[in-house]
Amino acid sequence: MPKVLVVDDSLSVRKVVERALLGRQMEVVCAATGSEAIERFERDEPDIVVCDVLMPDKDGYEICEFVKRHPRLGATPVLLMSGIVNDEVRERAARVKSADVLSKPFAAEDLLRRLDALLAKVAPPAPLPPTPVALKGNGNADAAPATLTLPPAAGPTGSAGLLKQFAAIDGVQWAVLADREGFLLDAAGEGAVDAEVAGALSACLTESSEGLGRELGRGALHGMILEYAQGMVVLYSIGASALLAIALSEPSALGKVRYFAKKSIPEFLQAV
């Protein structure tokens, strides 16, 4: 069974990657710091290293350089992750002989596709089943509303049940739970929006809105209501680690959504 070392100081990112790989014939070991990553690398001898560029002690480039210079395990591929992927990042990654650079936030299927390609080069192939985390549809303009589906390990059972209850409210199209970096944790409902895109955009909007609140002395963001020509989107903070986004096609559903959100946020906090 291929073994992947995941290195990121963000607990939510480590959980998202681990959930994406579990049940797909891949063993996952994690490290929260560069020093821990080096220790786990030598002890566990992973087949692939997936490492964030920005780390509190040793950055991803240093970890990659350590791996590539290792006298016995130097052939291990390193996939770097970065919130910003530009020419400078690519050049530095090439200098330390990184196998590739993955832009954050990323789709689970993109991560799996890249890991599958790297594994094919270094070990007997163990094909990864496709894990689309998106809305199903036939691609036609007149197609029936697509159903938002997720792989079985895409999120905690508790949050999945709560999201389904939101989606069951008349006038609600979909509900998405994401972490603060935009990684999709779970989703439910119907609509024409990719769940991962909705999570990533909601995280960006939440971050900018929280910054506005700080500058204006309004304190922490609890939630916000966005009104558009084709409906509404309601966002709620789930502690400091996650956020809830709900799309409404009918404004009349807002009262029920706000009532249920007030009751369910403590349960979401336990789930994430």
Side-chain angles (χ1 to χ4, degrees):
M1 179 182 295
K3 184 184 297 183
V4 180
L5 171 60
V6 179
V7 186
D8 200 301
D9 59 322
S10 169
L11 175 61
S12 60
V13 173
R14 297 198 303 273
K15 285 184 175 180
V16 166
V17 175
E18 187 173 9
R19 278 197 294 268
L21 302 184
L22 284 177
R24 292 167 179 82
Q25 300 181 343
M26 302 185 77
E27 180 182 352
V28 181
V29 292
C30 296
T33 66
S35 300
E36 184 184 2
I38 290 174
E39 178 184 340
R40 295 300 298 263
F41 178 73
E42 295 195 304
R43 184 179 69 194
D44 296 299
E45 300 186 7
D47 298 289
I48 297 178
V49 177
V50 180
C51 182
D52 189 26
V53 166
L54 295 179
M55 299 288 293
D57 49 358
K58 299 179 184 296
D59 63 30
Y61 304 115
E62 293 177 276
I63 295 170
C64 184
E65 196 169 29
F66 171 84
V67 171
K68 298 292 109 187
R69 290 182 176 180
H70 197 282
R72 186 166 50 87
L73 304 172
T76 306
V78 178
L79 174 62
L80 293 176
M81 302 181 291
S82 177
I84 299 176
V85 179
N86 52 26
D87 289 342
E88 180 182 355
V89 171
R90 293 189 185 94
E91 288 173 6
R92 292 192 65 184
R95 285 201 297 269
V96 297
K97 300 180 181 179
S98 165
D100 204 350
V101 181
L102 182 63
S103 178
K104 295 168 61 179
F106 50 81
E109 62 181 69
D110 190 15
L111 170 65
L112 292 170
R113 183 170 56 250
R114 298 196 193 200
L115 291 181
D116 195 18
L118 293 176
L119 282 171
K121 297 178 182 179
V122 300
L128 301 175
T131 55
V133 186
L135 297 176
K136 291 184 178 179
N138 60 16
N140 297 329
D142 58 350
T147 301
L148 195 58
T149 59
L150 292 158
T157 302
S159 63
L162 292 169
L163 291 174
K164 288 179 181 178
Q165 291 183 62
F166 271 110
I169 297 174
D170 289 340
V172 171
Q173 294 174 298
W174 48 259
V176 167
L177 182 68
D179 73 5
R180 290 306 183 98
E181 296 189 23
F183 289 94
L184 181 69
L185 299 178
D186 223 321
E190 298 181 348
V193 176
D194 186 302
E196 292 187 341
V197 172
L201 294 177
S202 297
C204 292
L205 180 59
T206 300
E207 182 179 4
S208 61
S209 299
E210 287 183 328
L212 177 63
R214 286 193 298 269
E215 291 297 322
L216 298 179
R218 299 300 177 182
L221 176 70
H222 290 171
M224 58 180 138
I225 301 171
L226 306 170
E227 298 185 59
Y228 298 98
Q230 302 300 322
M232 307 172 72
V233 176
V234 184
L235 298 177
Y236 290 99
S237 294
I238 307 297
S241 62
L243 59 94
L244 172 66
I246 305 159
L248 286 67
S249 58
E250 298 293 337
S252 58
L254 180 60
K256 292 181 180 179
V257 166
R258 296 184 69 181
Y259 174 77
F260 186 58
K262 184 176 180 180
K263 291 180 59 179
S264 63
I265 284 178
E267 296 179 62
F268 275 115
L269 286 169
Q270 292 181 354
V272 299

